[in-house]
mmCIF file of all heavy atoms in Angstrom:
data_model
loop_
_atom_site.group_PDB
_atom_site.id
_atom_site.type_symbol
_atom_site.label_atom_id
_atom_site.label_comp_id
_atom_site.label_asym_id
_atom_site.label_seq_id
_atom_site.Cartn_x
_atom_site.Cartn_y
_atom_site.Cartn_z
ATOM 1 N N GLN A 19 6.193 1.586 15.339
ATOM 2 C CA GLN A 19 5.738 1.566 13.927
ATOM 3 C C GLN A 19 4.768 0.446 13.636
ATOM 4 O O GLN A 19 3.817 0.616 12.862
ATOM 5 C CB GLN A 19 6.955 1.454 13.000
ATOM 6 C CG GLN A 19 6.602 1.666 11.544
ATOM 7 C CD GLN A 19 7.816 1.703 10.643
ATOM 8 O OE1 GLN A 19 8.902 1.255 11.000
ATOM 9 N NE2 GLN A 19 7.648 2.243 9.433
ATOM 10 N N GLY A 20 4.994 -0.730 14.235
ATOM 11 C CA GLY A 20 4.086 -1.833 13.992
ATOM 12 C C GLY A 20 2.662 -1.528 14.438
ATOM 13 O O GLY A 20 1.689 -1.773 13.729
ATOM 14 N N ALA A 21 2.535 -0.953 15.629
ATOM 15 C CA ALA A 21 1.216 -0.591 16.151
ATOM 16 C C ALA A 21 0.579 0.481 15.295
ATOM 17 O O ALA A 21 -0.641 0.449 15.052
ATOM 18 C CB ALA A 21 1.340 -0.125 17.589
ATOM 19 N N ALA A 22 1.372 1.446 14.812
ATOM 20 C CA ALA A 22 0.810 2.510 14.001
ATOM 21 C C ALA A 22 0.313 1.963 12.662
ATOM 22 O O ALA A 22 -0.751 2.356 12.176
ATOM 23 C CB ALA A 22 1.873 3.587 13.764
ATOM 24 N N LEU A 23 1.061 1.045 12.068
ATOM 25 C CA LEU A 23 0.597 0.431 10.818
ATOM 26 C C LEU A 23 -0.667 -0.361 11.049
ATOM 27 O O LEU A 23 -1.597 -0.304 10.221
ATOM 28 C CB LEU A 23 1.691 -0.469 10.227
ATOM 29 C CG LEU A 23 2.871 0.224 9.575
ATOM 30 C CD1 LEU A 23 3.871 -0.821 9.083
ATOM 31 C CD2 LEU A 23 2.409 1.118 8.417
ATOM 32 N N GLN A 24 -0.764 -1.085 12.165
ATOM 33 C CA GLN A 24 -1.972 -1.849 12.444
ATOM 34 C C GLN A 24 -3.192 -0.912 12.570
ATOM 35 O O GLN A 24 -4.263 -1.209 12.051
ATOM 36 C CB GLN A 24 -1.798 -2.671 13.730
ATOM 37 C CG GLN A 24 -3.004 -3.554 14.071
ATOM 38 C CD GLN A 24 -3.217 -4.648 13.055
ATOM 39 O OE1 GLN A 24 -2.395 -5.480 12.839
ATOM 40 N NE2 GLN A 24 -4.404 -4.636 12.437
ATOM 41 N N THR A 25 -3.005 0.219 13.214
ATOM 42 C CA THR A 25 -4.079 1.200 13.338
ATOM 43 C C THR A 25 -4.513 1.674 11.952
ATOM 44 O O THR A 25 -5.730 1.741 11.637
ATOM 45 C CB THR A 25 -3.628 2.385 14.194
ATOM 46 O OG1 THR A 25 -3.423 1.948 15.527
ATOM 47 C CG2 THR A 25 -4.658 3.486 14.188
ATOM 48 N N GLY A 26 -3.571 2.055 11.114
ATOM 49 C CA GLY A 26 -3.888 2.558 9.779
ATOM 50 C C GLY A 26 -4.527 1.511 8.881
ATOM 51 O O GLY A 26 -5.475 1.813 8.138
ATOM 52 N N ILE A 27 -4.002 0.286 8.930
ATOM 53 C CA ILE A 27 -4.548 -0.798 8.111
ATOM 54 C C ILE A 27 -5.970 -1.107 8.533
ATOM 55 O O ILE A 27 -6.866 -1.287 7.679
ATOM 56 C CB ILE A 27 -3.653 -2.056 8.196
ATOM 57 C CG1 ILE A 27 -2.307 -1.777 7.498
ATOM 58 C CG2 ILE A 27 -4.334 -3.264 7.580
ATOM 59 C CD1 ILE A 27 -1.264 -2.844 7.742
ATOM 60 N N ALA A 28 -6.213 -1.169 9.834
ATOM 61 C CA ALA A 28 -7.562 -1.464 10.333
ATOM 62 C C ALA A 28 -8.534 -0.365 9.899
ATOM 63 O O ALA A 28 -9.661 -0.646 9.504
ATOM 64 C CB ALA A 28 -7.534 -1.606 11.856
ATOM 65 N N TRP A 29 -8.100 0.882 9.963
ATOM 66 C CA TRP A 29 -8.963 1.994 9.531
ATOM 67 C C TRP A 29 -9.302 1.857 8.040
ATOM 68 O O TRP A 29 -10.457 2.032 7.649
ATOM 69 C CB TRP A 29 -8.258 3.314 9.796
ATOM 70 C CG TRP A 29 -9.091 4.512 9.440
ATOM 71 C CD1 TRP A 29 -9.925 5.231 10.235
ATOM 72 C CD2 TRP A 29 -9.173 5.140 8.142
ATOM 73 N NE1 TRP A 29 -10.529 6.255 9.532
ATOM 74 C CE2 TRP A 29 -10.075 6.202 8.241
ATOM 75 C CE3 TRP A 29 -8.547 4.883 6.908
ATOM 76 C CZ2 TRP A 29 -10.380 7.034 7.161
ATOM 77 C CZ3 TRP A 29 -8.865 5.716 5.830
ATOM 78 C CH2 TRP A 29 -9.778 6.760 5.957
ATOM 79 N N ALA A 30 -8.293 1.539 7.231
ATOM 80 C CA ALA A 30 -8.522 1.428 5.785
ATOM 81 C C ALA A 30 -9.467 0.294 5.462
ATOM 82 O O ALA A 30 -10.314 0.401 4.551
ATOM 83 C CB ALA A 30 -7.188 1.230 5.068
ATOM 84 N N CYS A 31 -9.368 -0.820 6.185
ATOM 85 C CA CYS A 31 -10.261 -1.956 5.973
ATOM 86 C C CYS A 31 -11.704 -1.566 6.354
ATOM 87 O O CYS A 31 -12.637 -1.887 5.605
ATOM 88 C CB CYS A 31 -9.793 -3.157 6.784
ATOM 89 S SG CYS A 31 -8.274 -3.931 6.175
ATOM 90 N N ARG A 32 -11.863 -0.875 7.466
ATOM 91 C CA ARG A 32 -13.213 -0.457 7.870
ATOM 92 C C ARG A 32 -13.801 0.533 6.875
ATOM 93 O O ARG A 32 -15.021 0.567 6.651
ATOM 94 C CB ARG A 32 -13.190 0.160 9.264
ATOM 95 C CG ARG A 32 -12.931 -0.828 10.384
ATOM 96 C CD ARG A 32 -13.255 -0.208 11.740
ATOM 97 N NE ARG A 32 -12.484 0.985 12.006
ATOM 98 C CZ ARG A 32 -11.294 0.996 12.606
ATOM 99 N NH1 ARG A 32 -10.730 -0.151 13.004
ATOM 100 N NH2 ARG A 32 -10.654 2.139 12.843
ATOM 101 N N ALA A 33 -12.936 1.335 6.247
ATOM 102 C CA ALA A 33 -13.397 2.343 5.292
ATOM 103 C C ALA A 33 -13.747 1.727 3.934
ATOM 104 O O ALA A 33 -14.275 2.420 3.072
ATOM 105 C CB ALA A 33 -12.339 3.414 5.122
ATOM 106 N N GLY A 34 -13.414 0.457 3.737
ATOM 107 C CA GLY A 34 -13.818 -0.233 2.531
ATOM 108 C C GLY A 34 -12.866 -0.128 1.345
ATOM 109 O O GLY A 34 -13.294 -0.389 0.187
ATOM 110 N N PHE A 35 -11.613 0.200 1.559
ATOM 111 C CA PHE A 35 -10.668 0.279 0.447
ATOM 112 C C PHE A 35 -10.340 -1.125 -0.068
ATOM 113 O O PHE A 35 -10.297 -2.096 0.703
ATOM 114 C CB PHE A 35 -9.385 0.993 0.885
ATOM 115 C CG PHE A 35 -9.559 2.468 1.035
ATOM 116 C CD1 PHE A 35 -9.788 3.026 2.288
ATOM 117 C CD2 PHE A 35 -9.507 3.308 -0.074
ATOM 118 C CE1 PHE A 35 -9.980 4.400 2.413
ATOM 119 C CE2 PHE A 35 -9.689 4.666 0.060
ATOM 120 C CZ PHE A 35 -9.919 5.219 1.315
ATOM 121 N N ASP A 36 -10.069 -1.232 -1.361
ATOM 122 C CA ASP A 36 -9.736 -2.523 -1.975
ATOM 123 C C ASP A 36 -8.308 -2.972 -1.649
ATOM 124 O O ASP A 36 -8.023 -4.161 -1.584
ATOM 125 C CB ASP A 36 -9.886 -2.452 -3.508
ATOM 126 C CG ASP A 36 -11.325 -2.304 -3.938
ATOM 127 O OD1 ASP A 36 -12.233 -2.565 -3.125
ATOM 128 O OD2 ASP A 36 -11.541 -1.917 -5.115
ATOM 129 N N HIS A 37 -7.421 -2.013 -1.487
ATOM 130 C CA HIS A 37 -6.002 -2.302 -1.242
ATOM 131 C C HIS A 37 -5.452 -1.307 -0.216
ATOM 132 O O HIS A 37 -5.926 -0.176 -0.101
ATOM 133 C CB HIS A 37 -5.168 -2.207 -2.517
ATOM 134 C CG HIS A 37 -5.574 -3.200 -3.568
ATOM 135 N ND1 HIS A 37 -6.506 -2.904 -4.550
ATOM 136 C CD2 HIS A 37 -5.173 -4.473 -3.792
ATOM 137 C CE1 HIS A 37 -6.652 -3.948 -5.322
ATOM 138 N NE2 HIS A 37 -5.860 -4.918 -4.893
ATOM 139 N N VAL A 38 -4.430 -1.764 0.496
ATOM 140 C CA VAL A 38 -3.702 -0.918 1.446
ATOM 141 C C VAL A 38 -2.223 -0.901 1.057
ATOM 142 O O VAL A 38 -1.649 -1.996 0.862
ATOM 143 C CB VAL A 38 -3.851 -1.425 2.896
ATOM 144 C CG1 VAL A 38 -3.067 -0.512 3.844
ATOM 145 C CG2 VAL A 38 -5.305 -1.474 3.304
ATOM 146 N N VAL A 39 -1.658 0.257 0.929
ATOM 147 C CA VAL A 39 -0.240 0.424 0.638
ATOM 148 C C VAL A 39 0.454 0.903 1.895
ATOM 149 O O VAL A 39 0.043 1.918 2.483
ATOM 150 C CB VAL A 39 -0.016 1.456 -0.499
ATOM 151 C CG1 VAL A 39 1.470 1.618 -0.777
ATOM 152 C CG2 VAL A 39 -0.769 1.039 -1.758
ATOM 153 N N THR A 40 1.484 0.205 2.358
ATOM 154 C CA THR A 40 2.268 0.698 3.487
ATOM 155 C C THR A 40 3.496 1.444 2.928
ATOM 156 O O THR A 40 4.141 0.953 2.007
ATOM 157 C CB THR A 40 2.707 -0.426 4.438
ATOM 158 O OG1 THR A 40 3.615 -1.325 3.767
ATOM 159 C CG2 THR A 40 1.508 -1.202 4.942
ATOM 160 N N PHE A 41 3.748 2.617 3.480
ATOM 161 C CA PHE A 41 4.677 3.566 2.877
ATOM 162 C C PHE A 41 5.438 4.251 4.006
ATOM 163 O O PHE A 41 4.832 4.724 4.961
ATOM 164 C CB PHE A 41 3.858 4.572 2.084
ATOM 165 C CG PHE A 41 4.598 5.337 0.990
ATOM 166 C CD1 PHE A 41 4.660 4.810 -0.280
ATOM 167 C CD2 PHE A 41 5.154 6.566 1.241
ATOM 168 C CE1 PHE A 41 5.278 5.493 -1.306
ATOM 169 C CE2 PHE A 41 5.786 7.267 0.242
ATOM 170 C CZ PHE A 41 5.855 6.743 -1.042
ATOM 171 N N ASP A 42 6.763 4.349 3.891
ATOM 172 C CA ASP A 42 7.556 4.964 4.947
ATOM 173 C C ASP A 42 7.443 6.474 4.943
ATOM 174 O O ASP A 42 7.203 7.103 3.896
ATOM 175 C CB ASP A 42 9.021 4.547 4.825
ATOM 176 C CG ASP A 42 9.266 3.126 5.318
ATOM 177 O OD1 ASP A 42 8.317 2.486 5.780
ATOM 178 O OD2 ASP A 42 10.417 2.643 5.188
ATOM 179 N N ALA A 43 7.663 7.067 6.121
ATOM 180 C CA ALA A 43 7.500 8.517 6.315
ATOM 181 C C ALA A 43 8.766 9.301 6.069
ATOM 182 O O ALA A 43 8.746 10.536 6.113
ATOM 183 C CB ALA A 43 7.001 8.791 7.721
ATOM 184 N N ASP A 44 9.893 8.636 5.798
ATOM 185 C CA ASP A 44 11.181 9.332 5.754
ATOM 186 C C ASP A 44 11.658 9.684 4.353
ATOM 187 O O ASP A 44 12.795 10.111 4.192
ATOM 188 C CB ASP A 44 12.243 8.506 6.481
ATOM 189 C CG ASP A 44 12.415 7.114 5.874
ATOM 190 O OD1 ASP A 44 11.831 6.845 4.817
ATOM 191 O OD2 ASP A 44 13.141 6.304 6.492
ATOM 192 N N GLY A 45 10.788 9.500 3.357
ATOM 193 C CA GLY A 45 11.185 9.878 1.987
ATOM 194 C C GLY A 45 11.923 8.835 1.204
ATOM 195 O O GLY A 45 12.380 9.110 0.084
ATOM 196 N N GLN A 46 12.051 7.625 1.722
ATOM 197 C CA GLN A 46 12.797 6.587 1.023
ATOM 198 C C GLN A 46 12.031 6.001 -0.169
ATOM 199 O O GLN A 46 12.632 5.506 -1.096
ATOM 200 C CB GLN A 46 13.140 5.446 1.975
ATOM 201 C CG GLN A 46 14.278 5.738 2.940
ATOM 202 C CD GLN A 46 14.750 4.462 3.657
ATOM 203 O OE1 GLN A 46 14.024 3.504 3.762
ATOM 204 N NE2 GLN A 46 15.965 4.517 4.155
ATOM 205 N N HIS A 47 10.693 6.019 -0.105
ATOM 206 C CA HIS A 47 9.891 5.329 -1.103
ATOM 207 C C HIS A 47 9.372 6.254 -2.194
ATOM 208 O O HIS A 47 9.222 7.469 -1.987
ATOM 209 C CB HIS A 47 8.690 4.625 -0.417
ATOM 210 C CG HIS A 47 9.083 3.569 0.525
ATOM 211 N ND1 HIS A 47 8.281 3.143 1.558
ATOM 212 C CD2 HIS A 47 10.204 2.780 0.587
ATOM 213 C CE1 HIS A 47 8.883 2.165 2.202
ATOM 214 N NE2 HIS A 47 10.050 1.962 1.653
ATOM 215 N N ARG A 48 9.079 5.641 -3.347
ATOM 216 C CA ARG A 48 8.544 6.389 -4.485
ATOM 217 C C ARG A 48 7.090 5.928 -4.765
ATOM 218 O O ARG A 48 6.855 4.723 -4.885
ATOM 219 C CB ARG A 48 9.385 6.162 -5.749
ATOM 220 C CG ARG A 48 10.866 6.466 -5.580
ATOM 221 C CD ARG A 48 11.581 6.460 -6.929
ATOM 222 N NE ARG A 48 11.155 5.327 -7.754
ATOM 223 C CZ ARG A 48 11.247 5.292 -9.078
ATOM 224 N NH1 ARG A 48 11.729 6.340 -9.722
ATOM 225 N NH2 ARG A 48 10.851 4.222 -9.750
ATOM 226 N N PRO A 49 6.164 6.844 -4.907
ATOM 227 C CA PRO A 49 4.800 6.434 -5.232
ATOM 228 C C PRO A 49 4.700 5.712 -6.558
ATOM 229 O O PRO A 49 3.824 4.858 -6.768
ATOM 230 C CB PRO A 49 4.018 7.746 -5.225
ATOM 231 C CG PRO A 49 5.035 8.824 -5.335
ATOM 232 C CD PRO A 49 6.278 8.306 -4.710
ATOM 233 N N GLU A 50 5.597 5.993 -7.517
ATOM 234 C CA GLU A 50 5.580 5.276 -8.790
ATOM 235 C C GLU A 50 5.809 3.785 -8.584
ATOM 236 O O GLU A 50 5.189 2.954 -9.277
ATOM 237 C CB GLU A 50 6.667 5.856 -9.722
ATOM 238 C CG GLU A 50 6.406 7.241 -10.249
ATOM 239 C CD GLU A 50 6.812 8.339 -9.276
ATOM 240 O OE1 GLU A 50 7.356 8.003 -8.190
ATOM 241 O OE2 GLU A 50 6.607 9.528 -9.604
ATOM 242 N N ASP A 51 6.688 3.431 -7.656
ATOM 243 C CA ASP A 51 6.932 2.015 -7.361
ATOM 244 C C ASP A 51 5.680 1.388 -6.741
ATOM 245 O O ASP A 51 5.308 0.254 -7.059
ATOM 246 C CB ASP A 51 8.126 1.869 -6.411
ATOM 247 C CG ASP A 51 9.432 2.197 -7.081
ATOM 248 O OD1 ASP A 51 9.521 2.103 -8.327
ATOM 249 O OD2 ASP A 51 10.392 2.567 -6.369
ATOM 250 N N ALA A 52 5.030 2.111 -5.839
ATOM 251 C CA ALA A 52 3.807 1.579 -5.206
ATOM 252 C C ALA A 52 2.725 1.347 -6.254
ATOM 253 O O ALA A 52 2.024 0.313 -6.221
ATOM 254 C CB ALA A 52 3.305 2.552 -4.120
ATOM 255 N N ALA A 53 2.583 2.269 -7.193
ATOM 256 C CA ALA A 53 1.577 2.107 -8.251
ATOM 257 C C ALA A 53 1.898 0.913 -9.129
ATOM 258 O O ALA A 53 0.976 0.150 -9.522
ATOM 259 C CB ALA A 53 1.481 3.391 -9.087
ATOM 260 N N GLU A 54 3.157 0.711 -9.451
ATOM 261 C CA GLU A 54 3.540 -0.450 -10.263
ATOM 262 C C GLU A 54 3.316 -1.751 -9.497
ATOM 263 O O GLU A 54 2.886 -2.765 -10.063
ATOM 264 C CB GLU A 54 4.997 -0.318 -10.683
ATOM 265 C CG GLU A 54 5.582 -1.538 -11.406
ATOM 266 C CD GLU A 54 4.887 -1.853 -12.727
ATOM 267 O OE1 GLU A 54 4.146 -0.996 -13.251
ATOM 268 O OE2 GLU A 54 5.071 -2.978 -13.239
ATOM 269 N N MET A 55 3.576 -1.750 -8.196
ATOM 270 C CA MET A 55 3.311 -2.935 -7.393
ATOM 271 C C MET A 55 1.840 -3.263 -7.345
ATOM 272 O O MET A 55 1.435 -4.429 -7.440
ATOM 273 C CB MET A 55 3.841 -2.710 -5.960
ATOM 274 C CG MET A 55 5.357 -2.708 -5.855
ATOM 275 S SD MET A 55 5.932 -2.082 -4.253
ATOM 276 C CE MET A 55 5.253 -3.302 -3.141
ATOM 277 N N LEU A 56 1.017 -2.246 -7.225
ATOM 278 C CA LEU A 56 -0.439 -2.448 -7.228
ATOM 279 C C LEU A 56 -0.889 -3.036 -8.568
ATOM 280 O O LEU A 56 -1.732 -3.949 -8.590
ATOM 281 C CB LEU A 56 -1.143 -1.124 -6.963
ATOM 282 C CG LEU A 56 -2.671 -1.093 -6.981
ATOM 283 C CD1 LEU A 56 -3.247 -2.123 -5.996
ATOM 284 C CD2 LEU A 56 -3.187 0.292 -6.648
ATOM 285 N N ARG A 57 -0.339 -2.532 -9.657
ATOM 286 C CA ARG A 57 -0.691 -3.073 -10.978
ATOM 287 C C ARG A 57 -0.270 -4.520 -11.101
ATOM 288 O O ARG A 57 -1.054 -5.366 -11.587
ATOM 289 C CB ARG A 57 -0.012 -2.229 -12.066
ATOM 290 C CG ARG A 57 -0.393 -2.653 -13.489
ATOM 291 C CD ARG A 57 0.523 -2.000 -14.522
ATOM 292 N NE ARG A 57 1.895 -2.478 -14.420
ATOM 293 C CZ ARG A 57 2.301 -3.640 -14.946
ATOM 294 N NH1 ARG A 57 1.453 -4.444 -15.547
ATOM 295 N NH2 ARG A 57 3.567 -4.007 -14.834
ATOM 296 N N ARG A 58 0.913 -4.854 -10.649
ATOM 297 C CA ARG A 58 1.401 -6.231 -10.739
ATOM 298 C C ARG A 58 0.548 -7.163 -9.884
ATOM 299 O O ARG A 58 0.214 -8.270 -10.298
ATOM 300 C CB ARG A 58 2.858 -6.314 -10.288
ATOM 301 C CG ARG A 58 3.856 -5.757 -11.262
ATOM 302 C CD ARG A 58 5.262 -6.062 -10.807
ATOM 303 N NE ARG A 58 6.250 -5.522 -11.738
ATOM 304 C CZ ARG A 58 7.376 -6.133 -12.072
ATOM 305 N NH1 ARG A 58 7.645 -7.331 -11.581
ATOM 306 N NH2 ARG A 58 8.231 -5.562 -12.914
ATOM 307 N N LEU A 59 0.236 -6.720 -8.679
ATOM 308 C CA LEU A 59 -0.578 -7.526 -7.795
ATOM 309 C C LEU A 59 -1.901 -7.851 -8.461
ATOM 310 O O LEU A 59 -2.364 -9.010 -8.449
ATOM 311 C CB LEU A 59 -0.816 -6.768 -6.480
ATOM 312 C CG LEU A 59 -1.697 -7.442 -5.424
ATOM 313 C CD1 LEU A 59 -1.186 -7.088 -4.014
ATOM 314 C CD2 LEU A 59 -3.150 -6.994 -5.543
ATOM 315 N N HIS A 60 -2.535 -6.860 -9.074
ATOM 316 C CA HIS A 60 -3.830 -7.092 -9.693
ATOM 317 C C HIS A 60 -3.696 -7.998 -10.888
ATOM 318 O O HIS A 60 -4.496 -8.928 -11.076
ATOM 319 C CB HIS A 60 -4.437 -5.757 -10.096
ATOM 320 C CG HIS A 60 -5.855 -5.886 -10.590
ATOM 321 N ND1 HIS A 60 -6.918 -6.085 -9.752
ATOM 322 C CD2 HIS A 60 -6.369 -5.904 -11.849
ATOM 323 C CE1 HIS A 60 -8.039 -6.181 -10.450
ATOM 324 N NE2 HIS A 60 -7.733 -6.080 -11.735
ATOM 325 N N GLU A 61 -2.681 -7.792 -11.708
ATOM 326 C CA GLU A 61 -2.516 -8.605 -12.902
ATOM 327 C C GLU A 61 -2.211 -10.068 -12.533
ATOM 328 O O GLU A 61 -2.675 -11.001 -13.201
ATOM 329 C CB GLU A 61 -1.376 -8.062 -13.758
ATOM 330 C CG GLU A 61 -1.748 -6.816 -14.543
ATOM 331 C CD GLU A 61 -0.675 -6.426 -15.534
ATOM 332 O OE1 GLU A 61 0.436 -6.985 -15.486
ATOM 333 O OE2 GLU A 61 -0.954 -5.528 -16.365
ATOM 334 N N GLN A 62 -1.434 -10.277 -11.458
ATOM 335 C CA GLN A 62 -1.049 -11.624 -11.049
ATOM 336 C C GLN A 62 -2.138 -12.299 -10.210
ATOM 337 O O GLN A 62 -2.059 -13.498 -9.977
ATOM 338 C CB GLN A 62 0.244 -11.575 -10.239
ATOM 339 C CG GLN A 62 1.477 -11.148 -11.041
ATOM 340 C CD GLN A 62 1.975 -12.231 -11.990
ATOM 341 O OE1 GLN A 62 1.656 -13.386 -11.829
ATOM 342 N NE2 GLN A 62 2.756 -11.827 -12.982
ATOM 343 N N GLY A 63 -3.136 -11.547 -9.783
ATOM 344 C CA GLY A 63 -4.160 -12.125 -8.936
ATOM 345 C C GLY A 63 -3.637 -12.453 -7.551
ATOM 346 O O GLY A 63 -4.165 -13.381 -6.896
ATOM 347 N N ALA A 64 -2.593 -11.755 -7.095
ATOM 348 C CA ALA A 64 -1.996 -12.033 -5.805
ATOM 349 C C ALA A 64 -2.689 -11.219 -4.709
ATOM 350 O O ALA A 64 -3.420 -10.283 -4.978
ATOM 351 C CB ALA A 64 -0.508 -11.730 -5.823
#
């Protein structure tokens, strides 16, 4: 999984995205939480 994430993150950086969200494949995560995290990150300047 670590190597796979590194591949995906590197691709996203080369593609010019402003942010990268890491998300599990097994259905544990909610996109609503990811969107709220992105909003908080931007508001906090983190």
